[in-house]
Amino acid sequence: MNNNRLHVHIKKWTYTKNFKFPEEEHIPIEKKNVGIAFSGGGNRSAPLTIGYLRALHHFDLIKYVKYQSSVSGGAWAGIPYTFLDPSIEDEQFLGEFKAPEKLSFKDIQDVKDFSFTSAVAETRILDDFLKNLDKGDEIFAKVLSNVYLTPFLLGETRKLFTLNQASLETIQSKNSGLMSYDFYTVAKDRPYLIVNSVLSRSNPLKVRRYPFEITPLYCGIPSYHKNKGSWGKFDIGGGYVESFGFDSDAPQDASEDGHVQVRLNKDINRFGLGDVMAATGSALGEYTDRFFPLNPGFPEFKHWSPKNPERAKEYDFVDGGYLDNTGVIALLRRKVERIIVFVNGSTGLNPIDSKNDGVSNMIRLLFKKENHLSARDFSGNIVLKEVGDTKPEESYDRLAEELRKLHAEGRPAVSVRKYKTVANKLYAIEGGFEVEIMWVHNGFSNAWLNTIQDPVLKRYILEQRKDHNFPDFSTFFTNGAKVIDLDVEQSNLMAHYASHVIYVLQDTFKRFISGDAVLEEDAVIS
């Protein structure tokens, strides 16, 4: 692509009630109305996500899953998994599944080509950041691309992305200058990917945040916020635009079939997969932009409202966890009937009387009004309550009690419950929709430890438990000055640990995906 191809025709959608999401015509009929959500959590969440995906593949369950919704570290694993180059086998990328009783210390030492857990262990975030200081607001995107995309042949910054050959041909029918080699497309048999970010209007005194979705076909904010953008003169949200045309100037003119002509603001660094990673995982971006006059490398993109596309403005895009760190809300909006939420937090399901009730606030903030870390206002996040409940907080209290109880018994903290959605304007959630949710909470299992046969591996696990609170690694500085870097043994161990949860509850997962979500008391490692 060169300078004479800056003008492209893209499709825009205005979000309305009963909106038909564009992916519906592309999803195979054998998919069930089931979604999986991988939470944020940096390089703690990334290898855990790979471990869960590994087991879902091993038990041949992934082929039935309709959606994958990811945030931050969960998306750092979910994006290369979704767009994996066809020359790389799934087992190479995900790693070999092994039952815990067959796992050895040698298994977690292996560094293999095209293995995601090996890539996580090779991160040098701070060094890479300093080497790319000339990239402006593209620094973080470049760093993440080097770590999580380039090892899997996905790091070309000139490339755009779309869903498949059919969607690519549709794009090309409107844009003769765009070639097949200009795009990455989704690998075969993947759930439809939703990556969650936040458009942030911030200054030292006030922060306003809007949930922003990025998918292979489109991206945007469904809810409409008139005059809520910069200077009170720009509109925010109201629908979606095709992802390959995002970060553009406002439309210059309209064309047929809901398309508009836009001018992309860059030639070399278009809105690519590295930008998506940066948009969902920029945990520090909001704070640096609020208190430093110059952007220190975190993502900024141009946005215009599909409902009123008169003006474009550049905004900060920050970690999706600043609103919903579970990824579940995007699935509720699409009325997914059964959702598995992998809560890859650092809260280790502490006793009931511990601070913050011992359960990850990722869950709590979907049920209870509260502010967290002063600047983060989650008071508008309530979206769920159990069927029959009048108060969402009561639903949360019962869930938290069950998760703590399971953890205290040494069992995987997995709970299945039925809910109704609570109407929420910010997230464009309709009230009254019934949904089953399986909560899979990160936390140490003594039953798993007792199953490990290799004494060297068992000793290593106990050391990691003592020194780093495995598997509840902190998001930052688990290994001191390495910021988010994990050792290869830590990365592999996290993935194997996640796999065991599905292994030991495989019948439960199978029934849940098929529509029968009853937990059995004997589905525990003995």
Side-chain angles (χ1 to χ4, degrees):
M1 289 181 284
N2 53 44
N3 288 332
N4 65 3
R5 296 174 184 167
L6 287 173
H7 294 82
V8 296
H9 289 85
I10 67 170
K11 190 168 184 178
K12 70 177 183 70
W13 297 265
T14 300
Y15 188 84
T16 59
K17 188 176 182 180
N18 299 320
F19 179 75
K20 184 177 180 180
F21 287 92
E23 66 270 14
E24 289 290 348
E25 62 185 81
H26 294 273
I27 294 176
I29 59 173
E30 64 266 21
K31 298 285 187 180
K32 297 184 180 294
N33 196 9
V34 174
I36 51 178
F38 296 112
S39 81
N43 265 357
R44 174 187 62 255
S45 181
L48 287 171
T49 295
I50 287 298
Y52 291 126
L53 286 169
R54 179 189 298 171
L56 289 171
H57 272 261
H58 178 78
F59 292 109
D60 204 27
L61 296 174
I62 198 70
K63 66 183 180 183
Y64 300 113
V65 177
K66 184 176 182 180
Y67 282 107
Q68 177 206 156
S69 179
S70 300
V71 185
S72 193
W76 293 353
I79 292 169
Y81 163 74
T82 297
F83 288 90
L84 192 64
D85 188 273
S87 66
I88 303 173
E89 298 291 335
D90 285 342
E91 189 169 300
Q92 288 179 285
F93 177 78
L94 296 172
E96 180 186 1
F97 175 87
K98 279 202 170 185
E101 62 269 18
K102 296 181 180 179
L103 197 62
S104 70
F105 186 69
K106 184 179 182 300
D107 291 321
I108 70 167
Q109 289 181 302
D110 280 352
V111 177
K112 295 182 178 179
D113 291 340
F114 302 120
S115 160
F116 182 83
T117 52
S118 295
V120 170
E122 293 298 321
T123 58
R124 298 292 182 270
I125 292 291
L126 184 58
D127 291 346
D128 214 0
F129 203 96
L130 295 174
K131 290 177 183 177
N132 286 280
L133 290 177
D134 61 331
K135 299 297 190 299
D137 64 1
E138 298 281 342
I139 295 176
F140 195 50
K142 179 64 175 176
V143 170
L144 294 180
S145 183
N146 288 345
V147 173
Y148 301 106
L149 296 175
T150 298
F152 311 109
L153 313 180
L154 297 170
E156 174 55 65
T157 57
R158 293 171 60 89
K159 283 201 174 188
L160 304 165
F161 58 91
T162 187
L163 180 62
N164 53 25
Q165 186 62 31
S167 65
L168 176 56
E169 289 174 359
T170 300
I171 291 170
Q172 289 177 306
S173 71
K174 300 287 184 180
N175 300 280
S176 59
L178 294 176
M179 306 300 170
S180 297
Y181 55 73
D182 289 322
F183 288 82
Y184 292 116
T185 56
V186 171
K188 186 179 179 181
D189 296 330
R190 298 302 197 243
Y192 189 77
L193 176 67
I194 307 164
V195 175
N196 299 276
S197 180
V198 170
L199 184 154
S200 176
R201 279 199 59 211
S202 59
N203 58 58
L205 299 178
K206 192 168 186 177
V207 178
R208 289 179 177 170
R209 300 185 184 88
Y210 303 91
F212 192 90
E213 298 179 334
I214 307 167
T215 83
L217 290 174
Y218 58 90
C219 59
I221 300 168
S223 54
Y224 180 55
H225 308 274
K226 187 174 179 59
N227 295 330
K228 296 297 184 182
S230 292
W231 311 109
K233 298 179 180 179
F234 293 78
D235 296 348
I236 287 178
Y240 301 102
V241 301
E242 285 189 281
S243 295
F244 83 93
F246 179 60
D247 194 20
S248 71
D249 294 329
Q252 297 174 327
D253 59 58
S255 58
E256 73 279 6
D257 303 326
H259 285 73
V260 293
Q261 185 184 72
V262 299
R263 185 182 66 200
L264 300 181
N265 53 345
K266 294 170 187 169
D267 178 42
I268 296 176
N269 291 315
R270 302 293 179 82
F271 186 67
L273 296 179
D275 295 304
V276 181
M277 285 196 158
T280 188
S282 181
L284 299 177
E286 181 172 285
Y287 290 98
T288 55
D289 288 345
R290 285 174 67 198
F291 298 109
F292 291 89
L294 298 177
N295 185 301
F298 295 102
E300 296 177 334
F301 306 114
K302 286 186 177 179
H303 166 75
W304 45 266
S305 167
K307 189 171 183 177
N308 185 21
E310 294 183 357
R311 301 179 180 184
K313 183 71 175 69
E314 192 169 63
Y315 295 96
D316 302 328
F317 281 72
V318 299
D319 198 296
Y322 280 167
L323 282 177
D324 171 27
N325 209 13
T326 66
V328 71
I329 289 179
L331 301 177
L332 297 178
R333 185 180 302 115
R334 288 163 176 80
K335 296 186 177 179
V336 177
E337 295 173 346
R338 296 186 299 282
I339 302 172
I340 305 173
V341 186
F342 296 97
V343 183
N344 299 332
S346 60
T347 303
L349 287 168
N350 298 313
I352 293 175
D353 60 352
S354 65
K355 185 179 180 181
N356 292 327
D357 76 16
V359 176
S360 174
N361 65 5
M362 297 182 192
I363 301 176
R364 188 168 65 251
L365 298 173
L366 301 172
F367 295 89
K368 290 189 174 186
K369 289 184 178 181
E370 64 176 86
N371 292 337
H372 179 58
L373 296 182
S374 66
R376 305 187 196 180
D377 181 6
F378 295 96
S379 59
N381 262 37
I382 295 176
V383 292
L384 289 171
K385 64 178 181 179
E386 277 195 84
V387 175
D389 275 356
T390 57
K391 295 181 179 180
E393 55 265 32
E394 294 175 353
S395 304
Y396 168 77
D397 289 340
R398 282 194 295 274
L399 170 62
E401 182 179 2
E402 181 181 14
L403 292 173
R404 286 189 298 258
K405 180 176 182 291
L406 290 166
H407 176 67
E409 294 171 354
R411 304 168 63 188
V414 178
S415 172
V416 177
R417 292 180 174 270
K418 292 184 178 181
Y419 298 96
K420 279 190 176 181
T421 54
V422 176
N424 189 301
K425 186 177 180 180
L426 174 64
Y427 294 105
I429 299 292
E430 295 181 27
F433 171 68
E434 292 195 7
V435 57
E436 278 186 305
I437 298 182
M438 175 187 287
W439 305 95
V440 182
H441 195 297
N442 187 37
F444 189 71
S445 168
N446 284 310
W448 171 75
L449 179 65
N450 293 336
T451 307
I452 301 295
Q453 301 296 308
D454 181 359
V456 178
L457 176 58
K458 182 172 286 191
R459 184 165 60 249
Y460 176 78
I461 293 169
L462 291 172
E463 290 172 355
Q464 289 296 306
R465 181 73 177 151
K466 177 182 177 183
D467 296 339
H468 302 292
N469 202 30
F470 168 83
D472 310 304
F473 290 155
S474 60
T475 305
F476 300 102
F477 306 112
T478 294
N479 293 319
K482 293 182 179 181
V483 189
I484 67 170
D485 301 347
L486 297 181
D487 298 335
V488 66
E489 292 87 356
Q490 292 171 322
S491 179
N492 280 325
L493 186 64
M494 292 287 272
H496 282 294
Y497 181 78
S499 291
H500 106 275
V501 174
I502 296 178
Y503 167 72
V504 70
L505 295 173
Q506 57 189 274
D507 290 339
T508 296
F509 279 85
K510 290 174 182 177
R511 288 197 302 274
F512 186 85
I513 290 174
S514 68
D516 180 10
V518 180
L519 283 171
E520 288 186 353
E521 290 296 322
D522 60 353
V524 183
I525 298 175
S526 58

